Amino acid sequence: MKSLSSPKRAGPTTPTKPAFERTVTPGYQRLTRKADSIDVPHKNIKKITCLGSGFVGGPTSAVTAFKSDIDVTVVDINPERIAAWQSDRLPIYEPGLYEIVSTARDGKEKRHVPNGIVHRANLFFSTDIDKAITDADLVFVCVNTPTKASGIGKGAAADLRFIEAATRNIARVAKEDKIVVEKSTVPCRTAQSIREILSANAQPRVHFDVLSNPEFLAEGTAIRDLLYPDRIIIGSMPTPSGYRAAASLAEVYAQWVPRDRIITMNLWSSELSKLAANAMLAQRISSVNALSAICEATGADVDEVSYACGLDSRIGPRMLKAGPGFGGSCFQKDIFNIVYLSESLHLCEVADYWRTIITMNEYQKDRFTKRIISCLFNNLTGKRIAVLGFAFKKNTSDTRESPAIKLVSNFVAEGAEVAIYDPKVAEQQIWRDLVDDGGDLGILKRNVEVCQSAYFACANADAIVVVTEWDEFSNKANAIIQTQKDRSSALVELDHRVESGTSSSDSGVFELQDSLRPQTAWKPEKAYQLSQKLTMDQLNINVAAETHPIICLDWARIAKGMKKPMFVFDGRDILDSAKLEELGFQVETIGKPSSRSWTSYN
C-alpha cells in the first residue's frame, strides 16, 4: 500500500489533486428525463389563476406577477381574506411581501421584465372563482391539505377534500384546454387522482394537463426564496402533451429563474421530492435537539457541537440550531404523510424511522417545560410566566404547530398565569390556537393574557421564556441590525440601465438580477448545477431604501419590574447570558448546562 504521507518538497511545485477526491454525479446523469425534453413547441401563458390565497398561493402569485407581464388572479372563497389582500393590511406577514404585492397590484411602479417595462396592475384578487378559472391558461392549485382529524389515517394521512373540490370545480367550469398545476403539498400519486377526476368530469373536447410544481418556501424568507430559488421542480407525464405543458410552466419561471435551476421529472418523483425535502430538514432539527439534551447533561455546548459538525462539507451548517422544537405547516404534516404512505405500502420499519422525528420533537417541548418547572422550584402555581414569541419562527405571523402552543398549554395546566407577546401574531389567532390544542376558553381567559408590549408581559413576572427568535428580544450585539421598512419600495427591482432618469434613491435597490441570470446559453449537459457560486451576502435581500433600526428590549428596564429571583429561559440561544447575569438574571439556555444543580428533568 502506498504511503499517504506528504512527499518531501524539493522546491516550488505545481499543486496536484488530493489523493482522494469526492465526486458528485452530475444532475443530468442522475435524472431519467433529459434536460432538453421540454425544449418543444408550447403554449405561451398569458393568464394564471391561483386557487387559494394562503401562505403559498398569495406570495407565489405576487412574485409571479411582479416578475412578469402575465395577468395573475388569486381567488378564495373567503371574502374577508380577499379584502385583506386588496388592502394595505395583508392577511399574512412576510418580509418584503407588501412591497411586492402593492407594486404588482396597484401598478404604480415601473418594473423591468424580460418582455420590456411593465407599468400596469397585473395582480388581482377576487372571489369570482368560476370566471377566474374560465379566463386562465394555467391554474395553480394552492388549497389547504391538513392532516385528517377522523376516519382511516386519522392523525397521519392528508385530508384531500379541498384538492378534490377544487379539481371538480375546474372540470365543471373549464370550456377550453387548461394546464392544472398541483402546488399544494400532497401525498405521492395524488396527481393521478386529479387526472382521473378531470378526465371523468371534463366538458366535451376539453383537455387537461396535470403538473406537479411543489413549493420549497421557508416562511420568513419566502420572498427571497421565490425571487432566487435553489431549484424549480416541474413534474409531468412522459407524453408529448405532458412535455408541452411542462415547457409552458418552465417558460413562466424562466422570466426570472436561470434555466439550469428549472428541473423536470415525472409526476411521482416531483410529489415525493417535496415530502422528502421537508422530512430531511426536520430530521436535522430533531437530531440537533437530541444532541442538546446530551449537551445539557454533560456540560457540552450544543452551539459549539453543531458548529463543528457544520464545518464538514458533507453536512453543512444549515438547520443545525437547537430550539424548543420545529413548527410550521409543513414539517410535521409531511412526515406524517410519509409515515402513512410507508404503512400503506407495508414498510413498517420505514414508517417507524420517520415517526421517531416527531417523537423527538414532542420530547423536546416536554423536556424544555420540565426544565422550566424544575428551575422554578418544581411549582408554577400562581406564578406569572412571560412568553416572548408565539409564531413558530421569526419574520412570519404563522403559528401552525408552533412550540409556543404546547408550552403555554403546559404552563396553564401547571396553574401558571401566562402573559404572551408576539410582534406579528394577532391576538385572535393565539386564542384560536390554544383552544384548538384542547384548551377551555374560559380557563384560558382567566389564566392567559395577550399583551401588546413585551414590557407589559414581563412586568411582575417570575420568569421569562423566549420561544421565538425575534431580533428585538436579543441582547447580542449582532442583533442590532437594519431591517426593511414595512411600507417602503425597497424590493422594487429597478434596472438602472433602463431609465436614465431613475432617482438615486431607487438605483441599485436590487442589483442581483444580472448576477443570478446565466451569462451563456443554456446547455443540457450543464443542467441541474447552480449557474455560479453565490455568497450569503449576495443571496440576502439588499435594501437601499429607507430603513429603521430594530429596537431591542431594554433588559435592565425589564429587570426592575420582575420578581426575584429573576429567571430567563432562552429557547433559541439569542441572549448573551453574561450580560443578563450582570443584571441579576439566572439564565437557562437550551442545549447548554444549567446554572443550577439539577438533573431530574430529563
Side-chain angles (χ1 to χ4, degrees):
M1 179 180 289
K2 294 182 179 180
S3 172
L4 297 179
S5 60
S6 301
K8 295 180 180 179
R9 295 187 177 180
T13 59
T14 303
T16 58
K17 290 184 178 180
F20 299 102
E21 187 178 53
R22 296 188 189 124
T23 59
V24 178
T25 305
Y28 67 89
Q29 294 181 17
R30 300 175 69 183
L31 296 172
T32 57
R33 184 166 297 182
K34 292 182 179 180
D36 58 357
S37 62
I38 59 171
D39 288 351
V40 296
H42 56 271
K43 183 177 183 178
N44 184 28
I45 303 299
K46 297 184 179 299
K47 291 186 177 182
I48 292 176
T49 287
C50 178
L51 305 183
S53 63
F55 279 93
V56 175
T60 299
S61 299
V63 170
T64 302
F66 178 81
K67 296 296 294 180
S68 72
D69 59 353
I70 298 171
D71 287 345
V72 182
T73 302
V74 183
V75 294
D76 201 295
I77 60 174
N78 186 338
E80 293 180 358
R81 178 173 283 264
I82 291 298
W85 279 110
Q86 294 170 331
S87 72
D88 286 339
R89 301 192 65 179
L90 304 185
I92 61 176
Y93 172 74
E94 190 72 34
L97 178 61
Y98 175 80
E99 292 81 10
I100 294 287
V101 169
S102 60
T103 300
R105 181 194 64 193
D106 303 337
K108 295 179 181 178
E109 298 281 349
K110 292 183 181 179
R111 58 191 192 278
H112 183 59
V113 299
N115 295 333
I117 298 176
V118 176
H119 192 184
R120 66 178 181 85
N122 66 329
L123 176 63
F124 311 97
F125 297 93
S126 173
T127 57
D128 193 342
I129 299 174
D130 290 359
K131 182 180 186 303
I133 293 174
T134 300
D135 294 343
D137 302 311
L138 182 149
V139 180
F140 282 144
V141 180
C142 300
V143 298
N144 193 20
T145 54
T147 302
K148 288 185 68 174
S150 60
I152 297 175
K154 173 185 177 181
D159 184 346
L160 300 179
R161 55 180 161 168
F162 302 118
I163 288 281
E164 181 173 343
T167 303
R168 291 184 180 278
N169 199 35
I170 293 170
R172 176 182 63 82
V173 172
K175 296 178 175 60
E176 297 177 345
D177 295 354
K178 307 285 181 188
I179 299 173
V180 178
V181 182
E182 168 196 85
K183 285 196 75 70
S184 300
T185 303
V186 294
C188 191
R189 300 197 74 85
T190 299
Q192 181 60 33
S193 301
I194 294 175
R195 293 178 69 243
E196 291 178 5
I197 292 172
L198 290 172
S199 177
N201 294 276
Q203 297 188 27
R205 293 180 294 281
V206 173
H207 172 76
F208 295 100
D209 284 297
V210 177
L211 302 176
S212 169
N213 177 218
E215 51 81 19
F216 295 95
L217 308 180
E219 291 185 48
T221 60
I223 298 302
R224 187 183 66 190
D225 297 339
L226 286 162
L227 289 171
Y228 308 116
D230 292 329
R231 77 287 201 197
I232 297 292
I233 303 296
I234 300 175
S236 70
M237 293 296 292
T239 63
S241 178
Y243 292 146
R244 289 194 296 271
S248 293
L249 182 56
E251 196 63 33
V252 172
Y253 286 115
Q255 296 189 60
W256 75 93
V257 179
R259 285 297 297 267
D260 54 8
R261 298 189 188 186
I262 302 174
I263 301 170
T264 61
M265 56 183 64
N266 74 51
L267 278 169
W268 328 129
S269 297
S270 176
E271 290 178 331
L272 188 56
S273 67
K274 172 58 188 293
L275 300 178
N278 279 342
M280 289 182 178
L281 292 173
Q283 178 190 53
R284 288 172 69 94
I285 296 174
S286 280
S287 293
V288 76
N289 281 342
L291 289 171
S292 74
I294 298 176
C295 288
E296 292 172 20
T298 61
D301 185 322
V302 73
D303 254 12
E304 295 179 342
V305 173
S306 62
Y307 174 72
C309 293
L311 291 175
D312 189 322
S313 61
R314 297 167 301 175
I315 300 173
R318 305 293 296 275
M319 307 293 284
L320 289 180
K321 187 73 173 177
F326 57 76
S329 63
C330 293
F331 284 0
Q332 179 168 300
K333 180 183 70 173
D334 292 355
I335 292 173
F336 277 139
N337 273 337
I338 291 181
V339 168
Y340 184 70
L341 175 63
S342 301
E343 290 176 338
S344 301
L345 298 173
H346 307 292
L347 302 174
C348 297
E349 292 79 5
V350 175
D352 291 342
Y353 170 76
W354 291 110
R355 190 182 284 110
T356 58
I357 297 172
I358 301 295
T359 301
M360 178 54 62
N361 196 53
E362 294 304 310
Y363 169 70
Q364 186 75 346
K365 300 173 193 175
D366 290 337
R367 195 175 68 81
F368 192 41
T369 300
K370 291 176 182 177
R371 180 173 180 176
I372 293 168
I373 295 173
S374 177
C375 286
L376 293 177
F377 316 107
N378 294 306
N379 174 42
L380 295 189
T381 303
K383 293 180 178 177
R384 182 177 174 89
I385 308 297
V387 173
L388 299 185
F390 201 81
F392 83 92
K393 62 186 289 190
K394 72 174 184 178
N395 291 336
T396 181
S397 57
D398 195 353
T399 61
R400 287 174 290 183
E401 305 298 339
S402 172
I405 300 171
K406 182 68 176 292
L407 292 173
V408 171
S409 296
N410 288 344
F411 298 154
V412 171
E414 290 291 327
E417 298 175 0
V418 183
I420 302 170
Y421 167 71
D422 188 285
K424 293 297 179 182
V425 178
E427 178 176 350
Q428 183 181 5
Q429 185 62 51
I430 293 175
W431 295 121
R432 185 183 301 117
D433 289 333
L434 294 175
V435 170
D436 289 346
D437 192 52
D440 179 273
L441 186 59
I443 295 176
L444 290 171
K445 289 285 189 178
R446 290 194 297 271
N447 293 278
V448 177
E449 177 186 3
V450 179
C451 302
Q452 300 303 311
S453 161
Y455 296 108
F456 290 153
C458 297
N460 205 36
D462 294 88
I464 298 170
V465 182
V466 179
V467 184
T468 309
E469 68 279 24
W470 288 103
D471 291 331
E472 66 183 75
F473 299 156
S474 179
N475 68 335
K476 291 183 177 180
N478 60 1
I480 305 175
I481 60 175
Q482 295 291 314
T483 189
Q484 299 167 5
K485 191 173 182 180
D486 291 339
R487 299 284 303 278
S488 73
S489 58
L491 295 181
V492 179
E493 288 185 324
L494 296 174
D495 190 332
H496 62 281
R497 296 166 302 178
V498 177
E499 287 186 324
S500 59
T502 302
S503 68
S504 59
S505 63
D506 287 335
S507 62
V509 170
F510 252 155
E511 295 187 356
L512 295 182
Q513 190 162 332
D514 286 341
S515 69
L516 288 168
R517 183 174 294 135
Q519 302 299 311
T520 57
W522 182 72
K523 297 180 180 180
E525 64 270 19
K526 292 186 178 179
Y528 317 118
Q529 303 172 14
L530 292 181
S531 55
Q532 58 181 295
K533 293 283 186 180
L534 297 172
T535 67
M536 287 307 297
D537 287 340
Q538 285 176 307
L539 285 174
N540 285 334
I541 292 178
N542 296 325
V543 179
E546 18 175 357
T547 59
H548 63 85
I550 293 173
I551 302 176
C552 294
L553 292 183
D554 182 349
W555 284 91
R557 174 182 169 185
I558 289 175
K560 293 178 181 178
M562 285 187 65
K563 293 179 181 177
K564 308 299 187 290
M566 302 180 295
F567 289 91
V568 174
F569 298 91
D570 184 2
R572 297 289 187 170
D573 191 19
I574 62 171
L575 300 175
D576 186 326
S577 299
K579 290 181 179 179
L580 292 182
E581 287 168 355
E582 291 176 359
L583 296 173
F585 286 100
Q586 295 187 35
V587 184
E588 302 290 331
T589 303
I590 205 159
K592 298 185 180 183
S594 174
S595 60
R596 294 169 56 84
S597 175
W598 52 266
T599 56
S600 61
Y601 76 93
N602 61 353

